Amino acid sequence: MKLGIFGGGQLARMIALEGYKLGLEINIYDKNENACAKDLAKNFFNYDFLDEEKVDEFFALNDIVTYEFENIDPDFLKKHEAKIPQGVMALELLQDRFVEKNFINSLDGIKCVSFCLANENIVETPFILKTRRFGYDGKGQLLVTDKNTDIEKFKNENYIIEKYLENITEYSIVIARTRSGEMYNYEPLKNVHKKGILKTSTFEKYLDEDIKSKMIEKAKLIAEKLNYIGVLCVEFFVSNGEVYVNEVAPRVHNSGHITIEGANISQFMLHVHAIVDLPIPKISSYSKYYMVNVLGHDMKKMELMQKDKKFARCHFHNYGKNSYDTNRKVGHITFKDSDDLIFNILNNIKGAI
Ligand code: ADP
Ligand code: MG
């Protein structure tokens, strides 16, 4: 069977690695000629995502196509929807924050933090200005704490304003939905961000049962309403016992990288099983597991740590990117939680402190 992947970044790379274990042929489409998953593709399509002829060719070549990012024109993919298990609806509803948050709020029992279009400006400080499209890793966001801040140039329909919640705890639920509508989720992950970029994820050990079941229920409802097939991730904010949905990623997710070693099936293998319709085992994860992201400016440190016996228990992941730019995700480390190891790793990986 031939699996095509739209987007050739680290998520595609990790999907491809699992796909090979199942004997799939992997083909990748990315406009970036240096995409880090390129070398894993039998056929690498290096064209613009709006090159209709090449996209048609890519769909003709593959039995199934998955996407690893959400900024693809949905209208353009509609005619190929039969080959896209994740569907086109997820792209239509989730690639624009304003549309996404309205969709989430329309679901029974689910809410987002209060927001409005930036030109309405009815949210009081502190608030965050966010671009509606193309934001990731905190890019395109501005925290406004002083009501006299001049935000005139952002007061248009391309931005939203969202109430800033102090002292939040962040969680994510990584969940798979199969063709027959069954759902499989991992334990909630507790995520810590620094400057909008995910820093660490760990399976939450002490989570209140009520909050946990609320998050799982909401993730299931979202996957079902999107008629979604594959792995999806819902990011949550918890503040004063209230559960808010932050955003939904219709794909495998950075927090889920912990599952490569920290669970009986990785989120990438789970995704492939769901989209090619293979049976899925009951999911179990190891408690006391940890994942730390490595950003470009820390890559040299990670390479040194890899050679250090002290860190031999760690699993080091290098995405093979062609540049190690500051704040760019270039790898991650997973390990069984132990206080001295966490302390040592966080002390070494500056981006993680
Ligand atoms: P991205 O698409 O870049 O991940 P998010 O909206 O998830 O954008 O924001 C990135 C991070 O910024 C969040 O994980 C959280 O740490 C912080 N953040 C975003 N919105 C809020 C908010 N309303 N209140 C508090 N923190 C926020
Ligand atoms: Mg986010």
Side-chain angles (χ1 to χ4, degrees), residues 97 130 136-138 141 162-163 165 170 235 246-247:
R97 287 189 203 280
K130 296 185 180 182
Y136 69 97
D137 287 347
Q141 300 195 9
E162 183 178 289
K163 181 82 196 145
L165 288 183
E170 297 189 59
E235 295 180 12
N246 171 31
E247 59 178 352

Side-chain angles (χ1 to χ4, degrees), residues 192-293:
V192 175
H193 290 77
K194 181 190 174 193
K195 292 188 185 149
I197 307 178
L198 182 64
K199 177 168 109 172
T200 61
S201 295
T202 183
F203 290 112
E204 175 59 282
K205 287 159 252 172
Y206 309 110
L207 185 57
D208 179 275
E209 278 302 319
D210 182 47
I211 289 182
K212 174 173 159 176
S213 56
K214 276 186 184 152
M215 291 197 297
I216 294 171
E217 248 171 61
K218 291 176 205 296
K220 284 184 175 169
L221 183 61
I222 290 169
E224 194 187 304
K225 291 288 178 194
L226 291 171
N227 204 12
Y228 187 87
I229 295 161
V231 163
L232 169 142
C233 177
V234 183
E235 295 180 12
F236 294 92
F237 293 154
V238 174
S239 171
N240 291 326
E242 290 287 317
V243 177
Y244 303 91
V245 168
N246 171 31
E247 59 178 352
V248 181
R251 51 172 170 78
V252 285
H253 189 260
N254 190 170
S255 61
H257 295 359
I258 193 172
T259 62
I260 300 177
E261 290 90 12
N264 62 331
I265 181 167
S266 78
Q267 64 165 346
F268 304 99
M269 189 60 105
L270 182 63
H271 181 61
V272 177
H273 273 235
I275 61 178
V276 308
D277 208 15
L278 291 170
I280 292 172
K282 183 174 169 354
I283 293 185
S284 64
S285 52
Y286 312 119
S287 62
K288 299 194 169 182
Y289 233 81
Y290 227 91
M291 186 221 49
V292 176
N293 263 339

